[in-house]
Amino acid sequence: MTTTMDLLASLIATAQVRLDVDASSKKRVLEKVAEAFAEQGCDAGKLFSALIERERLGSTGLGEGIAIPHARVPGLTQPRIAILRLAQPVDFDAVDNQPVTIVVALLVPEQATETHLEILSELAERLSRPEVREAILSAETPEALRAAFRA
C-alpha cells in the first residue's frame, strides 16, 4: 500500500517546480499555476477558472507565507502538484494576513474526495514545519526545492 508521503513524492515533478516566479497579484499567481499545469497537457483556461472558483469559497492562503490553491478537475486521471516560489510576496488573503511566497498547487480528479483531503492534509502538515519552509525558500534549483519539500 502506498503511503501519503510516497504519494506526495511521486506527485512532485521537478518540471513543475518554479523558482522566483514574478506575479503581482493572487490572480496572476493562479494564472502562473494554470500555465505550469498546462505544460502537462491540461487546459490552462479551465484550470484557472477552477482555481478562481475555489478561491471564491475562501482563501487557500494558510499563513506563514504559504498558499495551497487546489481544485477538482473533471477528466483528470491522477492528482498533480506544482510548486511555485514567488520572487516577491503576494497578498493572498491568508488567515494570518501575511503575504505568500510559497505556492503549492494541487489538482485532483473530480471524484477523488478522500485522496484530495489526504494530500491537502499532508501538504499542510509538511509545510507547517519551519525547516521545510526555510529549505524551500533557500533552494537554488528546482531539484533542491523538490528535495527540501520531500525531506
Side-chain angles (χ1 to χ4, degrees), residues 20-33 84-93 99-100 103:
D20 304 322
V21 172
D22 285 318
S24 57
S25 66
K26 181 188 215 180
K27 181 179 176 183
R28 189 67 185 124
V29 169
L30 296 175
E31 287 173 348
K32 294 281 189 175
V33 166
L84 285 68
R85 186 179 71 199
L86 305 179
Q88 298 295 321
V90 170
D91 180 19
F92 222 84
D93 301 316
V100 163
V103 178

Short mmCIF file of all heavy atoms in Angstrom, two decimals, residues 20-33 84-93 99-100 103:
data_model
loop_
_atom_site.label_atom_id
_atom_site.label_comp_id
_atom_site.label_asym_id
_atom_site.label_seq_id
_atom_site.Cartn_x
_atom_site.Cartn_y
_atom_site.Cartn_z
N ASP A 20 11.38 31.74 -8.11
CA ASP A 20 11.40 33.19 -8.33
C ASP A 20 10.43 33.63 -9.42
O ASP A 20 10.79 34.37 -10.33
CB ASP A 20 12.84 33.66 -8.59
CG ASP A 20 13.75 33.23 -7.45
OD1 ASP A 20 13.30 33.27 -6.29
OD2 ASP A 20 14.89 32.84 -7.72
N VAL A 21 9.21 33.17 -9.30
CA VAL A 21 8.14 33.49 -10.25
C VAL A 21 7.67 34.92 -10.00
O VAL A 21 7.40 35.31 -8.86
CB VAL A 21 6.97 32.51 -10.08
CG1 VAL A 21 5.77 32.93 -10.92
CG2 VAL A 21 7.42 31.10 -10.41
N ASP A 22 7.59 35.70 -11.08
CA ASP A 22 7.06 37.06 -10.98
C ASP A 22 5.55 37.02 -11.10
O ASP A 22 5.01 36.55 -12.10
CB ASP A 22 7.64 37.94 -12.09
CG ASP A 22 9.07 38.33 -11.82
OD1 ASP A 22 9.40 38.66 -10.67
OD2 ASP A 22 9.88 38.31 -12.77
N ALA A 23 4.89 37.52 -10.08
CA ALA A 23 3.43 37.62 -10.08
C ALA A 23 3.06 38.75 -9.13
O ALA A 23 3.53 38.78 -7.99
CB ALA A 23 2.79 36.32 -9.64
N SER A 24 2.24 39.67 -9.60
CA SER A 24 1.94 40.86 -8.81
C SER A 24 0.66 40.76 -8.00
O SER A 24 0.36 41.64 -7.19
CB SER A 24 1.87 42.07 -9.74
OG SER A 24 0.91 41.84 -10.75
N SER A 25 -0.12 39.71 -8.21
CA SER A 25 -1.40 39.57 -7.52
C SER A 25 -1.76 38.10 -7.38
O SER A 25 -1.19 37.23 -8.03
CB SER A 25 -2.50 40.28 -8.33
OG SER A 25 -2.70 39.60 -9.56
N LYS A 26 -2.75 37.85 -6.54
CA LYS A 26 -3.26 36.50 -6.37
C LYS A 26 -3.75 35.93 -7.70
O LYS A 26 -3.46 34.78 -8.05
CB LYS A 26 -4.41 36.53 -5.36
CG LYS A 26 -5.04 35.20 -5.04
CD LYS A 26 -6.27 35.46 -4.17
CE LYS A 26 -6.51 34.42 -3.16
NZ LYS A 26 -7.70 34.67 -2.33
N LYS A 27 -4.47 36.74 -8.46
CA LYS A 27 -4.98 36.30 -9.76
C LYS A 27 -3.82 35.90 -10.67
O LYS A 27 -3.87 34.85 -11.33
CB LYS A 27 -5.81 37.41 -10.40
CG LYS A 27 -6.39 37.03 -11.74
CD LYS A 27 -7.24 38.16 -12.31
CE LYS A 27 -7.73 37.80 -13.69
NZ LYS A 27 -8.49 38.90 -14.30
N ARG A 28 -2.77 36.70 -10.69
CA ARG A 28 -1.62 36.39 -11.56
C ARG A 28 -0.92 35.13 -11.08
O ARG A 28 -0.45 34.33 -11.90
CB ARG A 28 -0.65 37.59 -11.59
CG ARG A 28 0.42 37.44 -12.61
CD ARG A 28 -0.14 37.49 -14.04
NE ARG A 28 0.94 37.21 -14.98
CZ ARG A 28 0.92 36.25 -15.89
NH1 ARG A 28 -0.13 35.48 -16.04
NH2 ARG A 28 1.94 36.04 -16.67
N VAL A 29 -0.85 34.90 -9.77
CA VAL A 29 -0.27 33.66 -9.24
C VAL A 29 -1.06 32.46 -9.76
O VAL A 29 -0.48 31.48 -10.23
CB VAL A 29 -0.24 33.66 -7.69
CG1 VAL A 29 0.11 32.27 -7.15
CG2 VAL A 29 0.75 34.69 -7.16
N LEU A 30 -2.38 32.55 -9.71
CA LEU A 30 -3.22 31.45 -10.17
C LEU A 30 -3.08 31.23 -11.68
O LEU A 30 -3.12 30.09 -12.14
CB LEU A 30 -4.68 31.67 -9.77
CG LEU A 30 -4.92 31.69 -8.25
CD1 LEU A 30 -6.37 32.03 -7.94
CD2 LEU A 30 -4.51 30.38 -7.60
N GLU A 31 -2.87 32.31 -12.43
CA GLU A 31 -2.60 32.16 -13.86
C GLU A 31 -1.29 31.40 -14.08
O GLU A 31 -1.20 30.53 -14.95
CB GLU A 31 -2.51 33.53 -14.54
CG GLU A 31 -3.85 34.22 -14.69
CD GLU A 31 -3.72 35.65 -15.21
OE1 GLU A 31 -2.60 36.21 -15.24
OE2 GLU A 31 -4.77 36.21 -15.57
N LYS A 32 -0.26 31.74 -13.28
CA LYS A 32 1.04 31.07 -13.40
C LYS A 32 0.92 29.58 -13.03
O LYS A 32 1.55 28.73 -13.65
CB LYS A 32 2.08 31.75 -12.50
CG LYS A 32 2.42 33.15 -12.91
CD LYS A 32 3.37 33.16 -14.08
CE LYS A 32 3.88 34.57 -14.34
NZ LYS A 32 4.88 34.61 -15.39
N VAL A 33 0.10 29.29 -12.03
CA VAL A 33 -0.16 27.89 -11.64
C VAL A 33 -0.80 27.16 -12.82
O VAL A 33 -0.36 26.06 -13.19
CB VAL A 33 -1.05 27.82 -10.39
CG1 VAL A 33 -1.60 26.42 -10.19
CG2 VAL A 33 -0.29 28.28 -9.15
N LEU A 84 5.42 26.73 -6.78
CA LEU A 84 5.96 28.00 -7.23
C LEU A 84 6.50 28.76 -6.02
O LEU A 84 5.80 28.90 -5.01
CB LEU A 84 4.90 28.86 -7.90
CG LEU A 84 4.44 28.50 -9.30
CD1 LEU A 84 3.67 27.20 -9.32
CD2 LEU A 84 3.62 29.62 -9.89
N ARG A 85 7.75 29.19 -6.12
CA ARG A 85 8.29 30.10 -5.12
C ARG A 85 8.30 31.47 -5.77
O ARG A 85 8.91 31.66 -6.82
CB ARG A 85 9.70 29.69 -4.70
CG ARG A 85 10.23 30.56 -3.55
CD ARG A 85 11.59 30.15 -3.12
NE ARG A 85 12.55 30.54 -4.16
CZ ARG A 85 13.77 30.02 -4.28
NH1 ARG A 85 14.16 29.06 -3.48
NH2 ARG A 85 14.59 30.43 -5.22
N LEU A 86 7.60 32.40 -5.17
CA LEU A 86 7.43 33.71 -5.77
C LEU A 86 8.65 34.60 -5.53
O LEU A 86 9.27 34.55 -4.46
CB LEU A 86 6.18 34.38 -5.21
CG LEU A 86 4.88 33.57 -5.35
CD1 LEU A 86 3.71 34.32 -4.74
CD2 LEU A 86 4.61 33.22 -6.81
N ALA A 87 8.96 35.45 -6.52
CA ALA A 87 10.08 36.38 -6.40
C ALA A 87 9.80 37.42 -5.32
O ALA A 87 10.70 37.81 -4.57
CB ALA A 87 10.35 37.05 -7.74
N GLN A 88 8.55 37.86 -5.24
CA GLN A 88 8.12 38.83 -4.24
C GLN A 88 6.84 38.32 -3.59
O GLN A 88 5.98 37.77 -4.27
CB GLN A 88 7.83 40.19 -4.90
CG GLN A 88 9.03 40.82 -5.57
CD GLN A 88 10.12 41.18 -4.59
OE1 GLN A 88 9.84 41.65 -3.48
NE2 GLN A 88 11.36 40.95 -4.97
N PRO A 89 6.70 38.51 -2.28
CA PRO A 89 5.47 38.07 -1.62
C PRO A 89 4.23 38.74 -2.21
O PRO A 89 4.29 39.90 -2.65
CB PRO A 89 5.67 38.51 -0.16
CG PRO A 89 7.15 38.67 -0.01
CD PRO A 89 7.66 39.11 -1.35
N VAL A 90 3.13 37.99 -2.24
CA VAL A 90 1.87 38.47 -2.82
C VAL A 90 0.76 38.31 -1.78
O VAL A 90 0.69 37.28 -1.10
CB VAL A 90 1.54 37.66 -4.10
CG1 VAL A 90 0.13 37.95 -4.58
CG2 VAL A 90 2.55 37.94 -5.19
N ASP A 91 -0.10 39.32 -1.69
CA ASP A 91 -1.26 39.22 -0.80
C ASP A 91 -2.18 38.12 -1.32
O ASP A 91 -2.56 38.12 -2.49
CB ASP A 91 -1.99 40.55 -0.76
CG ASP A 91 -3.21 40.51 0.14
OD1 ASP A 91 -3.30 39.60 1.00
OD2 ASP A 91 -4.09 41.37 -0.01
N PHE A 92 -2.49 37.16 -0.45
CA PHE A 92 -3.32 36.02 -0.84
C PHE A 92 -4.52 35.88 0.08
O PHE A 92 -5.15 34.83 0.16
CB PHE A 92 -2.46 34.74 -0.79
CG PHE A 92 -2.69 33.80 -1.94
CD1 PHE A 92 -2.04 33.97 -3.16
CD2 PHE A 92 -3.55 32.72 -1.81
CE1 PHE A 92 -2.24 33.10 -4.21
CE2 PHE A 92 -3.77 31.84 -2.86
CZ PHE A 92 -3.10 32.04 -4.06
N ASP A 93 -4.81 36.93 0.84
CA ASP A 93 -5.90 36.88 1.82
C ASP A 93 -5.72 35.72 2.80
O ASP A 93 -6.68 35.04 3.17
CB ASP A 93 -7.27 36.76 1.12
CG ASP A 93 -7.54 37.92 0.17
OD1 ASP A 93 -7.26 39.07 0.56
OD2 ASP A 93 -8.01 37.65 -0.95
N PRO A 99 1.62 38.10 3.49
CA PRO A 99 1.72 37.74 2.08
C PRO A 99 2.33 36.36 1.88
O PRO A 99 2.98 35.82 2.78
CB PRO A 99 2.61 38.83 1.48
CG PRO A 99 3.39 39.36 2.63
CD PRO A 99 2.53 39.17 3.86
N VAL A 100 2.12 35.80 0.70
CA VAL A 100 2.53 34.44 0.37
C VAL A 100 3.76 34.45 -0.53
O VAL A 100 3.86 35.27 -1.44
CB VAL A 100 1.36 33.71 -0.32
CG1 VAL A 100 1.79 32.47 -1.06
CG2 VAL A 100 0.27 33.40 0.68
N VAL A 103 3.88 28.68 -2.98
CA VAL A 103 2.58 28.25 -3.50
C VAL A 103 2.71 26.79 -3.93
O VAL A 103 3.51 26.47 -4.81
CB VAL A 103 2.15 29.12 -4.70
CG1 VAL A 103 0.82 28.65 -5.26
CG2 VAL A 103 2.09 30.59 -4.30
#
